[in-house]
Amino acid sequence: RVGHLALAYQTLDKGETGYWDKQKHAWQPANDYRDAVTKAIAVANKQAPPDLMEVPVEAPEAGK
């Protein structure tokens, strides 16, 4: 599998969803991605099959 890694969170009541912004070094709200993060949590808990999800992911950095 090829993909990107995103650090995201969602409160238990699903009232708040966010992601870690590497450039700002801070959590950013991202309620537009609530459904995708809910789906990702279900996949992680083996309650749903793996699938493509749209979440905020930064572009890859150039190799050093």
Side-chain angles (χ1 to χ4, degrees):
R1 295 182 186 172
V2 177
H4 294 276
L5 175 69
L7 296 176
Y9 73 91
Q10 188 171 73
T11 57
L12 293 174
D13 67 357
K14 297 182 178 76
E16 185 177 338
T17 303
Y19 71 98
W20 179 256
D21 187 320
K22 185 177 173 184
Q23 292 179 340
K24 294 181 182 179
H25 299 284
W27 290 101
Q28 300 296 314
N31 285 324
D32 293 346
Y33 296 101
R34 179 180 295 129
D35 293 341
V37 173
T38 298
K39 187 175 185 179
I41 291 169
V43 170
N45 289 330
K46 299 185 188 296
Q47 297 169 337
D51 199 359
L52 295 175
M53 291 165 248
E54 215 175 289
V55 293
V57 177
E58 295 179 34
E61 295 177 12
K64 294 183 180 185

